[in-house]
Structure formats: structure tokens, C-alpha cells
Short mmCIF file of all heavy atoms in Angstrom, two decimals:
data_model
loop_
_atom_site.label_atom_id
_atom_site.label_comp_id
_atom_site.label_asym_id
_atom_site.label_seq_id
_atom_site.Cartn_x
_atom_site.Cartn_y
_atom_site.Cartn_z
N MET A 1 -7.62 6.09 8.91
CA MET A 1 -7.35 4.68 8.73
C MET A 1 -6.05 4.51 7.94
O MET A 1 -5.78 5.28 7.03
CB MET A 1 -8.52 4.02 8.00
CG MET A 1 -8.44 2.54 7.96
SD MET A 1 -10.01 1.87 7.35
CE MET A 1 -9.84 0.22 7.87
N PHE A 2 -5.29 3.52 8.26
CA PHE A 2 -4.02 3.17 7.61
C PHE A 2 -2.90 4.17 7.86
O PHE A 2 -1.94 4.22 7.09
CB PHE A 2 -4.21 2.97 6.10
CG PHE A 2 -5.11 1.82 5.74
CD1 PHE A 2 -6.24 2.04 4.96
CD2 PHE A 2 -4.84 0.54 6.18
CE1 PHE A 2 -7.07 0.99 4.62
CE2 PHE A 2 -5.66 -0.51 5.85
CZ PHE A 2 -6.79 -0.29 5.08
N GLU A 3 -2.97 4.96 8.93
CA GLU A 3 -1.89 5.90 9.23
C GLU A 3 -0.57 5.18 9.48
O GLU A 3 0.47 5.60 8.97
CB GLU A 3 -2.24 6.78 10.44
CG GLU A 3 -3.34 7.78 10.17
CD GLU A 3 -4.74 7.20 10.36
OE1 GLU A 3 -4.87 6.08 10.92
OE2 GLU A 3 -5.69 7.84 9.90
N VAL A 4 -0.60 4.10 10.26
CA VAL A 4 0.62 3.33 10.55
C VAL A 4 1.18 2.74 9.26
O VAL A 4 2.39 2.80 9.01
CB VAL A 4 0.34 2.22 11.59
CG1 VAL A 4 1.54 1.29 11.74
CG2 VAL A 4 -0.05 2.83 12.92
N GLU A 5 0.31 2.21 8.42
CA GLU A 5 0.75 1.60 7.17
C GLU A 5 1.36 2.64 6.23
O GLU A 5 2.37 2.38 5.58
CB GLU A 5 -0.41 0.87 6.49
CG GLU A 5 -0.83 -0.41 7.18
CD GLU A 5 -1.68 -0.23 8.43
OE1 GLU A 5 -2.07 0.91 8.75
OE2 GLU A 5 -1.95 -1.25 9.09
N ARG A 6 0.78 3.82 6.18
CA ARG A 6 1.34 4.88 5.33
C ARG A 6 2.71 5.32 5.81
O ARG A 6 3.62 5.54 5.02
CB ARG A 6 0.38 6.07 5.27
CG ARG A 6 -0.85 5.78 4.47
CD ARG A 6 -1.73 6.99 4.34
NE ARG A 6 -2.99 6.57 3.76
CZ ARG A 6 -4.16 7.04 4.09
NH1 ARG A 6 -4.27 7.97 5.01
NH2 ARG A 6 -5.25 6.60 3.50
N ARG A 7 2.86 5.46 7.13
CA ARG A 7 4.18 5.81 7.69
C ARG A 7 5.19 4.71 7.41
O ARG A 7 6.34 5.00 7.07
CB ARG A 7 4.06 6.07 9.19
CG ARG A 7 3.59 7.46 9.53
CD ARG A 7 3.84 7.80 10.99
NE ARG A 7 3.32 6.80 11.92
CZ ARG A 7 2.11 6.81 12.46
NH1 ARG A 7 1.27 7.78 12.16
NH2 ARG A 7 1.73 5.87 13.29
N THR A 8 4.77 3.46 7.53
CA THR A 8 5.66 2.34 7.25
C THR A 8 6.12 2.38 5.80
O THR A 8 7.31 2.24 5.50
CB THR A 8 4.96 0.99 7.55
OG1 THR A 8 4.62 0.95 8.94
CG2 THR A 8 5.85 -0.18 7.21
N TYR A 9 5.19 2.59 4.88
CA TYR A 9 5.53 2.68 3.46
C TYR A 9 6.52 3.82 3.22
O TYR A 9 7.54 3.65 2.54
CB TYR A 9 4.27 2.87 2.63
CG TYR A 9 4.55 3.18 1.18
CD1 TYR A 9 4.89 2.16 0.29
CD2 TYR A 9 4.51 4.48 0.72
CE1 TYR A 9 5.16 2.46 -1.04
CE2 TYR A 9 4.78 4.78 -0.61
CZ TYR A 9 5.11 3.76 -1.47
OH TYR A 9 5.39 4.05 -2.79
N GLU A 10 6.24 5.00 3.77
CA GLU A 10 7.12 6.16 3.58
C GLU A 10 8.50 5.92 4.16
O GLU A 10 9.51 6.31 3.56
CB GLU A 10 6.49 7.40 4.19
CG GLU A 10 5.27 7.89 3.42
CD GLU A 10 4.51 8.99 4.15
OE1 GLU A 10 5.00 9.49 5.19
OE2 GLU A 10 3.42 9.35 3.67
N THR A 11 8.58 5.25 5.30
CA THR A 11 9.86 4.94 5.93
C THR A 11 10.69 4.01 5.05
O THR A 11 11.91 4.18 4.92
CB THR A 11 9.65 4.29 7.31
OG1 THR A 11 8.94 5.22 8.14
CG2 THR A 11 10.96 3.92 7.97
N HIS A 12 10.05 3.03 4.43
CA HIS A 12 10.75 2.04 3.62
C HIS A 12 10.84 2.40 2.15
O HIS A 12 11.44 1.66 1.36
CB HIS A 12 10.06 0.68 3.77
CG HIS A 12 10.22 0.10 5.14
ND1 HIS A 12 11.36 -0.56 5.54
CD2 HIS A 12 9.40 0.11 6.21
CE1 HIS A 12 11.23 -0.94 6.80
NE2 HIS A 12 10.04 -0.54 7.23
N LEU A 13 10.29 3.55 1.76
CA LEU A 13 10.28 3.93 0.35
C LEU A 13 11.67 3.96 -0.29
O LEU A 13 11.83 3.45 -1.40
CB LEU A 13 9.57 5.27 0.17
CG LEU A 13 9.43 5.75 -1.27
CD1 LEU A 13 8.69 4.71 -2.12
CD2 LEU A 13 8.72 7.09 -1.32
N PRO A 14 12.71 4.50 0.38
CA PRO A 14 14.02 4.51 -0.28
C PRO A 14 14.49 3.11 -0.71
O PRO A 14 15.05 2.95 -1.80
CB PRO A 14 14.95 5.11 0.78
CG PRO A 14 14.06 5.97 1.61
CD PRO A 14 12.74 5.22 1.66
N GLU A 15 14.22 2.10 0.08
CA GLU A 15 14.65 0.75 -0.29
C GLU A 15 13.70 0.09 -1.29
O GLU A 15 14.06 -0.88 -1.94
CB GLU A 15 14.83 -0.14 0.95
CG GLU A 15 13.56 -0.31 1.75
CD GLU A 15 13.80 -0.69 3.19
OE1 GLU A 15 14.47 0.09 3.91
OE2 GLU A 15 13.33 -1.77 3.60
N LEU A 16 12.50 0.62 -1.43
CA LEU A 16 11.53 0.08 -2.39
C LEU A 16 11.67 0.69 -3.78
O LEU A 16 11.09 0.17 -4.74
CB LEU A 16 10.09 0.34 -1.88
CG LEU A 16 9.66 -0.42 -0.65
CD1 LEU A 16 8.33 0.11 -0.13
CD2 LEU A 16 9.56 -1.90 -0.95
N LEU A 17 12.42 1.77 -3.91
CA LEU A 17 12.50 2.47 -5.19
C LEU A 17 13.08 1.62 -6.32
O LEU A 17 12.89 1.95 -7.49
CB LEU A 17 13.28 3.78 -5.04
CG LEU A 17 12.53 4.87 -4.31
CD1 LEU A 17 13.39 6.11 -4.13
CD2 LEU A 17 11.22 5.21 -5.01
N GLY A 18 13.74 0.53 -6.01
CA GLY A 18 14.18 -0.40 -7.04
C GLY A 18 13.03 -1.19 -7.63
O GLY A 18 13.22 -1.93 -8.60
N SER A 19 11.84 -1.04 -7.07
CA SER A 19 10.65 -1.78 -7.52
C SER A 19 9.53 -0.84 -7.95
O SER A 19 8.36 -1.15 -7.80
CB SER A 19 10.15 -2.68 -6.38
OG SER A 19 11.15 -3.58 -5.99
N VAL A 20 9.89 0.31 -8.51
CA VAL A 20 8.89 1.28 -8.94
C VAL A 20 7.91 0.63 -9.92
O VAL A 20 8.31 -0.10 -10.83
CB VAL A 20 9.56 2.51 -9.59
CG1 VAL A 20 8.54 3.40 -10.28
CG2 VAL A 20 10.32 3.31 -8.55
N GLY A 21 6.63 0.87 -9.69
CA GLY A 21 5.57 0.31 -10.54
C GLY A 21 5.01 -0.99 -10.02
O GLY A 21 3.97 -1.44 -10.48
N LYS A 22 5.68 -1.61 -9.07
CA LYS A 22 5.18 -2.86 -8.48
C LYS A 22 4.33 -2.53 -7.26
O LYS A 22 4.22 -1.38 -6.85
CB LYS A 22 6.35 -3.77 -8.11
CG LYS A 22 7.12 -4.21 -9.35
CD LYS A 22 8.08 -5.28 -9.04
CE LYS A 22 8.76 -5.71 -10.36
NZ LYS A 22 9.50 -6.93 -10.19
N PHE A 23 3.71 -3.54 -6.68
CA PHE A 23 2.76 -3.36 -5.58
C PHE A 23 3.23 -4.08 -4.32
O PHE A 23 3.80 -5.17 -4.41
CB PHE A 23 1.39 -3.91 -5.99
CG PHE A 23 0.80 -3.18 -7.15
CD1 PHE A 23 1.10 -3.56 -8.45
CD2 PHE A 23 -0.04 -2.10 -6.96
CE1 PHE A 23 0.57 -2.89 -9.54
CE2 PHE A 23 -0.58 -1.42 -8.04
CZ PHE A 23 -0.27 -1.81 -9.33
N VAL A 24 2.98 -3.46 -3.17
CA VAL A 24 3.35 -4.06 -1.89
C VAL A 24 2.16 -4.01 -0.94
O VAL A 24 1.51 -2.98 -0.80
CB VAL A 24 4.56 -3.35 -1.25
CG1 VAL A 24 5.82 -3.60 -2.04
CG2 VAL A 24 4.34 -1.87 -1.08
N PRO A 25 1.85 -5.14 -0.29
CA PRO A 25 0.86 -5.11 0.79
C PRO A 25 1.54 -4.66 2.09
O PRO A 25 2.67 -5.08 2.37
CB PRO A 25 0.37 -6.55 0.89
CG PRO A 25 1.43 -7.38 0.25
CD PRO A 25 2.22 -6.50 -0.65
N VAL A 26 0.88 -3.79 2.83
CA VAL A 26 1.44 -3.25 4.06
C VAL A 26 0.42 -3.45 5.18
O VAL A 26 -0.74 -3.04 5.06
CB VAL A 26 1.75 -1.74 3.91
CG1 VAL A 26 2.44 -1.21 5.17
CG2 VAL A 26 2.56 -1.45 2.66
N LEU A 27 0.87 -4.07 6.28
CA LEU A 27 0.04 -4.20 7.47
C LEU A 27 0.88 -3.84 8.67
O LEU A 27 1.96 -4.42 8.88
CB LEU A 27 -0.52 -5.62 7.63
CG LEU A 27 -1.37 -5.83 8.88
CD1 LEU A 27 -2.62 -4.94 8.85
CD2 LEU A 27 -1.76 -7.27 9.04
N ASP A 28 0.43 -2.88 9.43
CA ASP A 28 1.15 -2.34 10.58
C ASP A 28 2.54 -1.88 10.11
O ASP A 28 2.63 -1.02 9.27
CB ASP A 28 1.22 -3.36 11.71
CG ASP A 28 -0.17 -3.74 12.24
OD1 ASP A 28 -1.05 -2.85 12.27
OD2 ASP A 28 -0.37 -4.90 12.61
N GLU A 29 3.60 -2.51 10.62
CA GLU A 29 4.96 -2.10 10.25
C GLU A 29 5.63 -3.16 9.37
O GLU A 29 6.85 -3.24 9.30
CB GLU A 29 5.78 -1.83 11.50
CG GLU A 29 5.23 -0.65 12.28
CD GLU A 29 5.99 -0.36 13.55
OE1 GLU A 29 6.94 -1.09 13.88
OE2 GLU A 29 5.64 0.62 14.21
N ARG A 30 4.83 -3.95 8.66
CA ARG A 30 5.36 -5.02 7.83
C ARG A 30 4.98 -4.79 6.37
O ARG A 30 3.83 -4.53 6.05
CB ARG A 30 4.79 -6.35 8.31
CG ARG A 30 5.30 -7.51 7.52
CD ARG A 30 4.71 -8.79 8.02
NE ARG A 30 5.31 -9.88 7.29
CZ ARG A 30 5.43 -11.08 7.76
NH1 ARG A 30 4.97 -11.37 8.95
NH2 ARG A 30 5.99 -12.02 7.05
N ILE A 31 5.99 -4.93 5.51
CA ILE A 31 5.79 -4.82 4.07
C ILE A 31 6.18 -6.15 3.44
O ILE A 31 7.23 -6.71 3.73
CB ILE A 31 6.65 -3.70 3.46
CG1 ILE A 31 6.20 -2.35 4.01
CG2 ILE A 31 6.57 -3.72 1.94
CD1 ILE A 31 6.99 -1.17 3.50
N ASP A 32 5.33 -6.67 2.57
CA ASP A 32 5.62 -7.90 1.84
C ASP A 32 5.74 -7.55 0.36
O ASP A 32 5.21 -6.57 -0.11
CB ASP A 32 4.52 -8.93 2.06
CG ASP A 32 4.43 -9.37 3.51
OD1 ASP A 32 5.48 -9.71 4.09
OD2 ASP A 32 3.32 -9.33 4.07
N GLY A 33 6.40 -8.42 -0.37
CA GLY A 33 6.51 -8.21 -1.81
C GLY A 33 7.87 -7.68 -2.18
O GLY A 33 8.82 -7.83 -1.42
N PRO A 34 7.99 -7.08 -3.30
CA PRO A 34 6.97 -6.54 -4.19
C PRO A 34 6.36 -7.58 -5.13
O PRO A 34 6.93 -8.64 -5.35
CB PRO A 34 7.72 -5.47 -4.98
CG PRO A 34 9.11 -5.98 -5.03
CD PRO A 34 9.33 -6.73 -3.75
N PHE A 35 5.21 -7.21 -5.69
CA PHE A 35 4.49 -8.06 -6.64
C PHE A 35 4.25 -7.27 -7.92
O PHE A 35 4.07 -6.06 -7.90
CB PHE A 35 3.15 -8.50 -6.03
CG PHE A 35 3.33 -9.34 -4.80
CD1 PHE A 35 3.35 -8.75 -3.54
CD2 PHE A 35 3.49 -10.71 -4.89
CE1 PHE A 35 3.53 -9.51 -2.40
CE2 PHE A 35 3.67 -11.48 -3.76
CZ PHE A 35 3.69 -10.89 -2.51
N ASP A 36 4.26 -7.97 -9.04
CA ASP A 36 4.10 -7.32 -10.34
C ASP A 36 2.69 -6.76 -10.56
O ASP A 36 2.53 -5.79 -11.27
CB ASP A 36 4.43 -8.30 -11.47
CG ASP A 36 5.91 -8.62 -11.51
OD1 ASP A 36 6.73 -7.75 -11.15
OD2 ASP A 36 6.26 -9.75 -11.91
N ALA A 37 1.69 -7.39 -9.96
CA ALA A 37 0.31 -6.99 -10.20
C ALA A 37 -0.40 -6.71 -8.87
O ALA A 37 -0.10 -7.33 -7.85
CB ALA A 37 -0.45 -8.08 -10.95
N TYR A 38 -1.35 -5.79 -8.91
CA TYR A 38 -2.16 -5.45 -7.74
C TYR A 38 -2.84 -6.70 -7.18
O TYR A 38 -2.86 -6.93 -5.98
CB TYR A 38 -3.19 -4.39 -8.12
CG TYR A 38 -4.17 -4.08 -7.02
CD1 TYR A 38 -3.84 -3.18 -6.01
CD2 TYR A 38 -5.43 -4.69 -6.98
CE1 TYR A 38 -4.73 -2.89 -4.99
CE2 TYR A 38 -6.33 -4.40 -5.96
CZ TYR A 38 -5.97 -3.51 -4.97
OH TYR A 38 -6.85 -3.24 -3.96
N GLU A 39 -3.41 -7.51 -8.09
CA GLU A 39 -4.13 -8.70 -7.67
C GLU A 39 -3.23 -9.68 -6.93
O GLU A 39 -3.64 -10.32 -5.96
CB GLU A 39 -4.78 -9.40 -8.87
CG GLU A 39 -5.90 -8.60 -9.51
CD GLU A 39 -5.41 -7.49 -10.44
OE1 GLU A 39 -4.18 -7.41 -10.73
OE2 GLU A 39 -6.24 -6.68 -10.86
N ALA A 40 -1.98 -9.81 -7.38
CA ALA A 40 -1.02 -10.70 -6.71
C ALA A 40 -0.70 -10.20 -5.31
O ALA A 40 -0.60 -10.98 -4.36
CB ALA A 40 0.25 -10.84 -7.54
N ALA A 41 -0.53 -8.88 -5.16
CA ALA A 41 -0.27 -8.30 -3.84
C ALA A 41 -1.48 -8.47 -2.93
O ALA A 41 -1.34 -8.79 -1.75
CB ALA A 41 0.09 -6.82 -3.98
N LEU A 42 -2.67 -8.29 -3.47
CA LEU A 42 -3.90 -8.45 -2.70
C LEU A 42 -4.05 -9.90 -2.24
O LEU A 42 -4.32 -10.16 -1.06
CB LEU A 42 -5.09 -8.02 -3.54
CG LEU A 42 -6.42 -7.84 -2.85
CD1 LEU A 42 -6.33 -6.74 -1.80
CD2 LEU A 42 -7.49 -7.52 -3.86
N ASP A 43 -3.83 -10.84 -3.15
CA ASP A 43 -3.91 -12.27 -2.79
C ASP A 43 -2.90 -12.62 -1.71
O ASP A 43 -3.23 -13.32 -0.74
CB ASP A 43 -3.67 -13.15 -4.02
CG ASP A 43 -4.84 -13.15 -4.98
OD1 ASP A 43 -5.95 -12.74 -4.58
OD2 ASP A 43 -4.64 -13.56 -6.14
N ALA A 44 -1.67 -12.14 -1.85
CA ALA A 44 -0.63 -12.43 -0.86
C ALA A 44 -1.01 -11.84 0.50
O ALA A 44 -0.81 -12.48 1.54
CB ALA A 44 0.71 -11.87 -1.32
N GLY A 45 -1.58 -10.64 0.49
CA GLY A 45 -2.00 -10.02 1.74
C GLY A 45 -3.09 -10.81 2.43
O GLY A 45 -3.05 -11.03 3.64
N TYR A 46 -4.07 -11.28 1.66
CA TYR A 46 -5.15 -12.09 2.25
C TYR A 46 -4.62 -13.43 2.75
O TYR A 46 -5.03 -13.91 3.81
CB TYR A 46 -6.27 -12.32 1.25
CG TYR A 46 -7.20 -11.14 1.10
CD1 TYR A 46 -7.53 -10.65 -0.16
CD2 TYR A 46 -7.75 -10.52 2.21
CE1 TYR A 46 -8.39 -9.56 -0.30
CE2 TYR A 46 -8.59 -9.44 2.08
CZ TYR A 46 -8.91 -8.96 0.83
OH TYR A 46 -9.75 -7.89 0.70
N GLN A 47 -3.71 -14.04 2.03
CA GLN A 47 -3.14 -15.31 2.47
C GLN A 47 -2.35 -15.15 3.76
O GLN A 47 -2.40 -16.00 4.64
CB GLN A 47 -2.25 -15.90 1.39
CG GLN A 47 -3.01 -16.46 0.22
CD GLN A 47 -2.10 -17.02 -0.86
OE1 GLN A 47 -0.89 -17.09 -0.70
NE2 GLN A 47 -2.70 -17.39 -1.98
N LYS A 48 -1.61 -14.06 3.88
CA LYS A 48 -0.76 -13.85 5.05
C LYS A 48 -1.53 -13.29 6.24
O LYS A 48 -1.28 -13.66 7.38
CB LYS A 48 0.38 -12.91 4.69
CG LYS A 48 1.37 -12.74 5.82
CD LYS A 48 2.66 -12.25 5.30
CE LYS A 48 3.50 -13.47 5.10
NZ LYS A 48 4.85 -13.25 4.70
N HIS A 49 -2.50 -12.40 5.99
CA HIS A 49 -3.15 -11.68 7.09
C HIS A 49 -4.62 -12.01 7.27
O HIS A 49 -5.27 -11.47 8.16
CB HIS A 49 -3.00 -10.17 6.87
CG HIS A 49 -1.59 -9.74 6.65
ND1 HIS A 49 -0.60 -9.89 7.60
CD2 HIS A 49 -0.99 -9.18 5.57
CE1 HIS A 49 0.54 -9.44 7.12
NE2 HIS A 49 0.33 -9.00 5.89
N GLY A 50 -5.19 -12.83 6.41
CA GLY A 50 -6.61 -13.13 6.51
C GLY A 50 -7.44 -11.96 6.02
O GLY A 50 -7.01 -11.19 5.17
N VAL A 51 -8.62 -11.81 6.59
CA VAL A 51 -9.54 -10.76 6.13
C VAL A 51 -9.40 -9.45 6.91
O VAL A 51 -10.30 -8.64 6.92
CB VAL A 51 -11.01 -11.25 6.15
CG1 VAL A 51 -11.24 -12.30 5.09
CG2 VAL A 51 -11.40 -11.74 7.52
N ARG A 52 -8.25 -9.27 7.55
CA ARG A 52 -7.98 -7.99 8.23
C ARG A 52 -7.74 -6.91 7.18
O ARG A 52 -7.18 -7.18 6.12
CB ARG A 52 -6.72 -8.10 9.09
CG ARG A 52 -6.88 -9.01 10.27
CD ARG A 52 -5.62 -9.09 11.07
NE ARG A 52 -5.20 -7.77 11.52
CZ ARG A 52 -4.00 -7.51 12.01
NH1 ARG A 52 -3.09 -8.46 12.10
NH2 ARG A 52 -3.68 -6.30 12.40
N PRO A 53 -8.11 -5.67 7.47
CA PRO A 53 -7.80 -4.58 6.53
C PRO A 53 -6.29 -4.37 6.44
O PRO A 53 -5.59 -4.36 7.46
CB PRO A 53 -8.46 -3.36 7.16
CG PRO A 53 -9.42 -3.88 8.16
CD PRO A 53 -8.90 -5.22 8.60
N PHE A 54 -5.79 -4.23 5.23
CA PHE A 54 -4.39 -3.90 5.00
C PHE A 54 -4.33 -3.02 3.76
O PHE A 54 -5.26 -2.93 2.98
CB PHE A 54 -3.53 -5.16 4.85
CG PHE A 54 -3.94 -6.06 3.72
CD1 PHE A 54 -3.40 -5.91 2.45
CD2 PHE A 54 -4.86 -7.08 3.93
CE1 PHE A 54 -3.79 -6.75 1.42
CE2 PHE A 54 -5.25 -7.92 2.91
CZ PHE A 54 -4.72 -7.75 1.64
N LEU A 55 -3.20 -2.36 3.61
CA LEU A 55 -3.01 -1.41 2.52
C LEU A 55 -2.19 -2.05 1.41
O LEU A 55 -1.21 -2.74 1.68
CB LEU A 55 -2.26 -0.19 3.06
CG LEU A 55 -1.92 0.94 2.11
CD1 LEU A 55 -3.19 1.62 1.62
CD2 LEU A 55 -1.02 1.95 2.80
N VAL A 56 -2.60 -1.85 0.16
CA VAL A 56 -1.78 -2.24 -0.98
C VAL A 56 -1.38 -0.96 -1.69
O VAL A 56 -2.23 -0.17 -2.09
CB VAL A 56 -2.55 -3.18 -1.95
CG1 VAL A 56 -1.71 -3.45 -3.19
CG2 VAL A 56 -2.92 -4.48 -1.26
N LYS A 57 -0.07 -0.73 -1.79
CA LYS A 57 0.46 0.49 -2.40
C LYS A 57 1.26 0.15 -3.65
O LYS A 57 2.00 -0.81 -3.67
CB LYS A 57 1.41 1.21 -1.44
CG LYS A 57 0.74 1.96 -0.34
CD LYS A 57 0.11 3.24 -0.80
CE LYS A 57 1.14 4.28 -1.17
NZ LYS A 57 0.56 5.50 -1.69
N ARG A 58 1.12 0.99 -4.66
CA ARG A 58 1.99 0.91 -5.83
C ARG A 58 3.24 1.72 -5.52
O ARG A 58 3.14 2.88 -5.10
CB ARG A 58 1.29 1.48 -7.05
CG ARG A 58 2.14 1.38 -8.28
CD ARG A 58 1.41 1.89 -9.50
NE ARG A 58 1.80 1.05 -10.60
CZ ARG A 58 1.12 0.89 -11.70
NH1 ARG A 58 -0.04 1.49 -11.84
NH2 ARG A 58 1.57 0.12 -12.65
N VAL A 59 4.39 1.13 -5.69
CA VAL A 59 5.65 1.81 -5.40
C VAL A 59 5.87 2.90 -6.43
O VAL A 59 5.84 2.65 -7.64
CB VAL A 59 6.83 0.82 -5.39
CG1 VAL A 59 8.14 1.56 -5.12
CG2 VAL A 59 6.61 -0.28 -4.36
N SER A 60 6.06 4.11 -5.95
CA SER A 60 6.23 5.26 -6.83
C SER A 60 7.19 6.25 -6.19
O SER A 60 7.14 6.48 -4.98
CB SER A 60 4.88 5.94 -7.06
OG SER A 60 5.03 7.09 -7.84
N ALA A 61 8.07 6.85 -7.00
CA ALA A 61 9.00 7.85 -6.50
C ALA A 61 8.27 9.13 -6.11
O ALA A 61 8.70 9.86 -5.23
CB ALA A 61 10.07 8.14 -7.54
N VAL A 62 7.15 9.40 -6.78
CA VAL A 62 6.35 10.60 -6.51
C VAL A 62 4.92 10.15 -6.23
O VAL A 62 4.32 9.43 -7.02
CB VAL A 62 6.37 11.56 -7.72
CG1 VAL A 62 5.49 12.76 -7.45
CG2 VAL A 62 7.78 11.97 -8.05
N GLU A 63 4.39 10.58 -5.10
CA GLU A 63 3.02 10.21 -4.73
C GLU A 63 2.04 10.93 -5.63
O GLU A 63 2.05 12.16 -5.72
CB GLU A 63 2.76 10.59 -3.26
CG GLU A 63 1.47 10.06 -2.72
CD GLU A 63 1.45 8.55 -2.53
OE1 GLU A 63 2.52 7.95 -2.36
OE2 GLU A 63 0.34 7.99 -2.57
N PRO A 64 1.17 10.20 -6.35
CA PRO A 64 0.21 10.87 -7.22
C PRO A 64 -0.83 11.65 -6.41
O PRO A 64 -1.24 11.23 -5.34
CB PRO A 64 -0.45 9.73 -7.98
CG PRO A 64 -0.21 8.51 -7.16
CD PRO A 64 1.04 8.76 -6.37
N VAL A 65 -1.22 12.79 -6.93
CA VAL A 65 -2.24 13.62 -6.30
C VAL A 65 -3.60 13.17 -6.81
O VAL A 65 -3.79 12.99 -8.02
CB VAL A 65 -2.01 15.11 -6.62
CG1 VAL A 65 -3.12 15.97 -6.03
CG2 VAL A 65 -0.65 15.55 -6.13
N GLN A 66 -4.53 12.97 -5.91
CA GLN A 66 -5.87 12.57 -6.28
C GLN A 66 -6.86 13.62 -5.80
O GLN A 66 -6.72 14.14 -4.70
CB GLN A 66 -6.22 11.21 -5.68
CG GLN A 66 -5.31 10.12 -6.18
CD GLN A 66 -5.64 8.77 -5.60
OE1 GLN A 66 -6.60 8.62 -4.85
NE2 GLN A 66 -4.84 7.79 -5.92
N TYR A 67 -7.82 13.93 -6.62
CA TYR A 67 -8.83 14.93 -6.29
C TYR A 67 -10.17 14.26 -6.09
O TYR A 67 -10.56 13.42 -6.88
CB TYR A 67 -8.94 15.96 -7.41
CG TYR A 67 -7.66 16.74 -7.62
CD1 TYR A 67 -6.75 16.35 -8.58
CD2 TYR A 67 -7.38 17.84 -6.84
CE1 TYR A 67 -5.57 17.04 -8.77
CE2 TYR A 67 -6.20 18.56 -7.02
CZ TYR A 67 -5.30 18.14 -7.99
OH TYR A 67 -4.14 18.84 -8.16
N PHE A 68 -10.84 14.66 -5.03
CA PHE A 68 -12.17 14.12 -4.74
C PHE A 68 -13.11 15.29 -4.47
O PHE A 68 -12.74 16.26 -3.81
CB PHE A 68 -12.15 13.22 -3.50
CG PHE A 68 -11.33 11.98 -3.69
CD1 PHE A 68 -10.00 11.93 -3.31
CD2 PHE A 68 -11.90 10.87 -4.27
CE1 PHE A 68 -9.24 10.80 -3.50
CE2 PHE A 68 -11.15 9.72 -4.47
CZ PHE A 68 -9.82 9.68 -4.08
N SER A 69 -14.29 15.16 -4.96
CA SER A 69 -15.31 16.18 -4.71
C SER A 69 -15.93 15.93 -3.34
O SER A 69 -16.15 14.80 -2.95
CB SER A 69 -16.37 16.10 -5.81
OG SER A 69 -17.44 16.94 -5.48
N ARG A 70 -16.24 17.00 -2.64
CA ARG A 70 -16.92 16.86 -1.36
C ARG A 70 -18.39 16.51 -1.57
O ARG A 70 -18.99 15.84 -0.77
CB ARG A 70 -16.81 18.15 -0.55
CG ARG A 70 -15.45 18.41 -0.03
CD ARG A 70 -15.49 19.75 0.70
NE ARG A 70 -14.44 19.78 1.68
CZ ARG A 70 -14.62 19.56 2.98
NH1 ARG A 70 -15.80 19.35 3.47
NH2 ARG A 70 -13.61 19.59 3.81
N ASP A 71 -18.96 16.99 -2.65
CA ASP A 71 -20.38 16.78 -2.91
C ASP A 71 -20.54 15.61 -3.87
O ASP A 71 -20.61 15.78 -5.07
CB ASP A 71 -20.99 18.06 -3.49
CG ASP A 71 -22.50 17.96 -3.59
OD1 ASP A 71 -23.08 17.05 -2.97
OD2 ASP A 71 -23.09 18.80 -4.29
N LEU A 72 -20.58 14.40 -3.34
CA LEU A 72 -20.64 13.21 -4.16
C LEU A 72 -22.08 12.76 -4.46
O LEU A 72 -22.28 11.82 -5.19
CB LEU A 72 -19.88 12.06 -3.50
CG LEU A 72 -18.40 12.31 -3.30
CD1 LEU A 72 -17.77 11.18 -2.52
CD2 LEU A 72 -17.70 12.48 -4.64
N ALA A 73 -23.06 13.42 -3.87
CA ALA A 73 -24.45 13.01 -4.07
C ALA A 73 -25.02 13.46 -5.36
O ALA A 73 -24.62 14.23 -6.09
CB ALA A 73 -25.31 13.53 -2.92
#
């Protein structure tokens, strides 16, 4: 899920680097923002796209690594 949105974010990352730490809603090949707060980006995404799933990314020069356990039970 969100493969297109992730590619869109990565493609536009060089031009977004002036907004490191801010948030952008991404749907398909469209990026809106940036917004200072996650909640503002989320609200803007819902206003523009309705209740469709979309991605909200924090602009970062380096993608943070996240670890998840396979055994969550």
C-alpha cells in the first residue's frame, strides 16, 4: 500500500528539503503543503481528498529506520 505515494515523495524529495521537519500529504502523484504540524497536513488531506487513504510524510533528508517485531501477539 502507498507504493505510488512513496515513489512520488522520493521523486520530489530534493525540492522538499527546504522544508525538513514539516509534513506533506501525498496522494497518487500529488504532494500538498508543506505544513508545520502533522494534524494540519492530515486535515488538509481530508479536506482535499475526502476519506480516501493518503500518505502523510515528515520531510527528512534521511529516512528513519523503524523496527517491528514479527511476533506481535
Side-chain angles (χ1 to χ4, degrees):
M1 189 170 197
F2 297 122
E3 290 85 13
V4 172
E5 288 78 6
R6 288 184 189 142
R7 277 195 309 269
T8 298
Y9 171 80
E10 290 171 8
T11 299
H12 292 280
L13 183 57
E15 61 203 60
L16 292 170
L17 287 177
S19 301
V20 169
K22 296 191 177 192
F23 298 87
V24 292
V26 185
L27 179 62
D28 298 326
E29 296 179 357
R30 181 180 184 154
I31 295 179
D32 296 310
F35 297 92
D36 291 328
Y38 174 84
E39 293 79 8
L42 193 62
D43 287 343
Y46 281 130
Q47 286 179 7
K48 185 160 264 185
H49 307 297
V51 291
R52 292 180 57 194
F54 60 90
L55 179 66
V56 175
K57 283 286 290 177
R58 181 177 217 158
V59 178
S60 177
V62 178
E63 189 70 25
V65 177
Q66 298 180 3
Y67 297 95
F68 295 94
S69 172
R70 289 178 155 259
D71 188 14
L72 298 174

